[in-house]
Amino acid sequence: MAEKFSTLNDFSETQNEYLNLIYEIMESRKYGEKPIAYVHTYGCQQNVADGERIKGMLAKAGFDFEDKPDNADFILFNTCAVREHAEDRVFGNVGALKNIKRRHPRALVALCGCMMEQKHIADRMYKSFPFVGLVFGTHALHQFPELMYRALSTGKRVYVRDNDDLLVHEGLPVKRDGSIKGWLPIMYGCNNFCTYCIVPHVRGRERSRKREIILAEAKEMINAGYKDITLLGQNVNSYGKNLENSVSFAQLLKEIDDIEGDYWLRFMTSHPKDCTRELIDVIADSKHVSKHLHLPFQSGSDRILKLMNRHYDRKKYLDIVNYVKSRIEDVSLTSDVIVGFPGETYEDFKQTLSLIKKVEFTSLFTFIYSPRVGTPAAEMDDPVSAEEKSKWFRELLDVQEEIASRRCSDTVGTVQKVLIEGEKGKDGILNARTSGNIIVETEGSPELIGTFQNVEITKAGNWILKGKIKE
Ligand code: SAH
Ligand code: SF4
Ligand code: F3S
């Protein structure tokens, strides 16, 4: 099969030149002092991974980073469009910058990410916030140095959108946020068009990175000491379909798992319609893949699943869950669920509750439906009031809290392998995480950060466990 999306390795040749030019401009402005960047990312891990690439480019151009915008020479909001609430936060936080130009007239304020791939939103922000000097969408990430240089060198506003070239651009520098847990994108975009979702509209068509490039990056991360690596894609189960040498996600996962080292491997997100037994078998037989499957079901009602264009029904979902439970001992299942999809009735909602009770998820990401301009669901009749939806939502949270709390209590007295991730505060308490992705607090020395330990669980809260490190 011909490769539909080619991989370019052109970053270093063209864009590196622009990073050097940016370095020179900032050098002349700051007289030897390092320029400061503030990069704020909203949304999912895919956006976080993009933010890490932007920071990689900025670091190459000589920038240091601060976690407040006050003294920054470059301020960037990497935005998310998935729900109205996410967008409102961005509008509020960008608006709050309006005085920044008065204090620091040469600061360059930029907006990027998924919101900028929606024309009506990008236009509105560009008009409402005249102090914004650079706007670019997710498809222009690899051109960031050139665009930033243009804004800095001309002093004119730069606005680049609608640049959907469907390519995978490799070779971008990365500055990862953590040194223990790391994200590894394996594909971009989405072809599923769930009727409520904006992601395919703002991220473009599904395209996979080449297997060899992913394997090399995984090795690099393991050698650099990363202990918890998450493979990223909107639907990792369809990985590899557009590659010349087609390879399934299960095969890729197995190849990464074969890399020697002391680490955990996770992935997200798995779509139930493409979740194969082969994949579950690979997880069950693996050395490094965590005992955790994030498998969004969205709704327990077949009628609503159809309206959502999810391509599976309740039975198929429960069949997968049963197989997962039979193959992977103590597996931790997590999921996403939407309450109040257009036309959902209380009867449909009760199906969602009953599915939650059947599966007993360790945790759930719960959302009230939020209409997104340009998606089919936004055009559907939505007769149920916001108050009614909130009532259902609270009912769901109560049911899940009871399940999560029972699941946590069941672990008291067991010994769990955990990864020590960091200090909780300054009082000698460490934050750790189980293979099943449950947070455990334990006493210990900060020297243990980044190591795996066995912890005896002594106490359970609703979501968090407490434990003692076993000698
Ligand atoms: N690709 C992933 C998830 C991407 S978005 C997947 O398919 O599971 C993360 C979650 O946000 C979705 O799983 C869904 O539960 C929620 N979501 C997406 N669009 C939404 C909307 N319009 N309103 C409410 N929740 C939404
Ligand atoms: Fe959105 Fe569905 Fe794609 Fe996930 S699979 S990103 S929910 S369209
Ligand atoms: Fe948001 Fe874009 Fe992710 S819309 S959820 S940041 S892909």
Side-chain angles (χ1 to χ4, degrees):
M1 190 177 86
E3 191 166 303
K4 281 190 235 134
F5 309 107
S6 59
T7 298
L8 289 185
N9 224 335
D10 63 349
F11 180 81
S12 51
E13 290 156 36
T14 51
Q15 300 297 324
N16 266 326
E17 291 298 315
Y18 287 108
L19 292 179
N20 289 335
L21 294 171
I22 294 170
Y23 179 87
E24 281 165 23
I25 292 180
M26 297 316 294
E27 172 94 319
S28 69
R29 286 187 185 176
K30 303 253 336 189
Y31 304 108
E33 231 180 275
K34 275 202 150 198
I36 304 294
Y38 168 78
V39 176
H40 190 101
T41 294
Y42 301 81
C44 67
Q45 286 79 9
Q46 190 68 67
N47 243 24
V48 173
D50 284 355
E52 291 180 338
R53 270 139 191 99
I54 291 170
K55 286 189 196 163
M57 296 186 246
L58 288 167
K60 264 193 135 174
F63 279 80
D64 260 353
F65 297 88
E66 281 186 4
D67 50 16
K68 280 205 301 253
D70 305 34
N71 301 316
D73 304 286
F74 179 65
I75 297 171
L76 176 77
F77 286 87
N78 183 17
T79 63
C80 168
V82 80
R83 283 170 292 276
E84 198 179 352
H85 177 68
E87 292 189 339
D88 288 348
R89 275 174 56 211
V90 173
F91 268 97
N93 291 349
V94 175
L97 289 179
K98 70 175 182 297
N99 292 328
I100 210 125
K101 281 282 203 188
R102 211 176 307 144
R103 271 187 284 127
H104 189 354
R106 287 179 117 180
L108 175 60
V109 179
L111 302 175
C112 70
C114 294
M115 274 170 83
M116 299 307 118
E117 288 294 342
Q118 294 174 286
K119 186 172 180 326
H120 67 287
I121 300 270
D123 284 353
R124 199 170 119 209
M125 294 196 84
Y126 192 72
K127 283 203 192 97
S128 315
F129 303 119
F131 54 84
V132 168
L134 169 59
V135 168
F136 62 100
T138 56
H139 301 293
L141 187 72
H142 63 286
Q143 293 171 324
F144 166 66
E146 181 180 347
L147 303 176
M148 181 171 171
Y149 170 71
R150 238 202 280 159
L152 283 173
S153 61
T154 63
K156 295 208 174 106
R157 302 178 83 192
V158 174
Y159 179 105
V160 175
R161 297 193 40 264
D162 276 347
N163 180 353
D164 194 347
D165 55 10
L166 294 177
L167 297 167
V168 173
H169 294 273
E170 296 293 356
L172 275 68
V174 191
K175 185 180 184 305
R176 295 187 199 278
D177 290 339
S179 55
I180 299 166
K181 285 166 69 128
W183 312 113
L184 173 43
I186 62 166
M187 60 202 296
Y188 305 101
C190 179
N191 284 354
N192 292 310
F193 290 95
C194 302
T195 53
Y196 50 82
C197 185
I198 198 69
V199 172
H201 305 266
V202 294
R203 286 267 167 189
R205 294 297 60 74
E206 188 178 285
R207 50 216 186 269
S208 298
R209 296 179 77 192
K210 283 190 169 160
R211 178 185 146 274
E212 325 62 274
I213 291 182
I214 297 169
L215 285 169
E217 198 165 318
K219 273 186 199 140
E220 209 176 277
M221 290 175 79
I222 293 161
N223 290 339
Y226 283 88
K227 298 291 177 205
D228 191 333
I229 297 171
T230 304
L231 310 179
L232 292 182
Q234 295 299 345
N235 174 13
V236 292
N237 297 337
S238 62
Y239 171 78
K241 286 189 181 154
N242 66 273
L243 292 174
E244 196 171 2
N245 299 317
S246 168
V247 46
S248 74
F249 178 60
Q251 286 164 328
L252 177 78
L253 192 66
K254 167 131 191 31
E255 284 191 61
I256 301 177
D257 183 56
D258 285 340
I259 302 172
E260 291 292 319
D262 195 20
Y263 64 93
W264 275 341
L265 198 54
R266 303 179 191 274
F267 55 87
M268 66 192 300
T269 300
S270 241
H271 194 306
K273 83 177 162 65
D274 309 304
C275 188
T276 59
R277 288 194 166 207
E278 184 197 3
L279 172 64
I280 296 158
D281 292 340
V282 167
I283 304 170
D285 300 334
S286 72
K287 282 197 290 287
H288 302 104
V289 183
S290 61
K291 291 193 215 167
H292 170 209
L293 186 64
H294 181 65
L295 195 64
F297 71 95
Q298 313 296 1
S299 167
S301 151
D302 285 346
R303 195 177 73 82
I304 298 298
L305 285 171
K306 234 196 176 89
L307 288 173
M308 287 177 162
N309 193 33
R310 289 290 287 181
H311 294 284
Y312 57 86
D313 58 14
R314 178 187 175 89
K315 181 175 177 313
K316 166 149 182 173
Y317 187 86
L318 289 171
D319 284 349
I320 301 171
V321 165
N322 287 338
Y323 188 66
V324 170
K325 287 182 176 172
S326 74
R327 288 291 278 119
I328 311 168
E329 207 188 329
D330 284 337
V331 68
S332 166
L333 284 153
T334 58
S335 197
D336 294 353
V337 53
I338 297 177
V339 173
F341 183 82
E344 182 173 334
T345 62
Y346 189 65
E347 286 307 307
D348 293 311
F349 172 68
K350 280 205 305 207
Q351 295 279 306
T352 292
L353 286 183
S354 94
L355 188 138
I356 290 171
K357 288 179 188 159
K358 269 207 164 91
V359 178
E360 302 201 302
F361 297 100
T362 29
S363 64
L364 275 183
F365 295 89
T366 49
F367 308 107
I368 293 184
Y369 168 72
S370 167
R372 304 286 70 207
V373 173
T375 61
E379 306 295 317
M380 295 177 188
D381 268 355
D382 192 1
V384 176
S385 69
E387 293 74 38
E388 188 67 9
K389 291 183 182 183
S390 297
K391 233 165 69 190
W392 299 357
F393 190 69
R394 281 195 301 274
E395 191 176 345
L396 183 144
L397 294 185
D398 287 344
V399 168
Q400 178 54 26
E401 186 172 315
E402 209 264 317
I403 295 168
S405 143
R406 182 157 26 90
R407 288 205 53 138
C408 278
S409 308
D410 286 349
T411 61
V412 173
T414 63
V415 174
Q416 306 268 339
K417 181 176 171 186
V418 299
L419 173 62
I420 310 280
E421 293 184 345
E423 280 180 285
K424 187 180 174 220
K426 291 274 162 250
D427 49 2
I429 304 293
L430 301 174
N431 276 331
R433 196 177 291 267
T434 66
S435 168
N437 214 25
I438 301 171
I439 295 172
V440 184
E441 292 175 1
T442 178
E443 278 177 23
S445 141
E447 280 162 27
L448 298 178
I449 294 170
T451 65
F452 289 101
Q453 300 290 331
N454 289 317
V455 164
E456 182 174 344
I457 306 302
T458 52
K459 215 171 154 197
N462 282 347
W463 322 102
I464 291 182
L465 303 173
K466 295 199 170 156
K468 242 182 124 149
I469 295 176
K470 300 267 287 181
E471 297 304 322

